[in-house]
Amino acid sequence: MSRLLAAALTVAAAAALAVGAALGVVALLDATPDQPNTPLITYEHAGQER
């Protein structure tokens, strides 16, 4: 019976660790990076090249 209890505790600990890791990854991916919101291409005089 103790082997069954040890296996159940191991499964529960592994599941808790997996959920914690998943929440940590989601929290890291949800963080917004500190970067300026500047466009890479700007058109100063659009439509006057023709």
Side-chain angles (χ1 to χ4, degrees), residues 1-31:
M1 190 65 160
S2 63
R3 293 180 101 179
L4 184 61
L5 180 62
L9 288 176
T10 303
V11 167
L17 185 62
V19 168
L23 290 177
V25 168
V26 168
L28 285 176
L29 290 176
D30 195 32

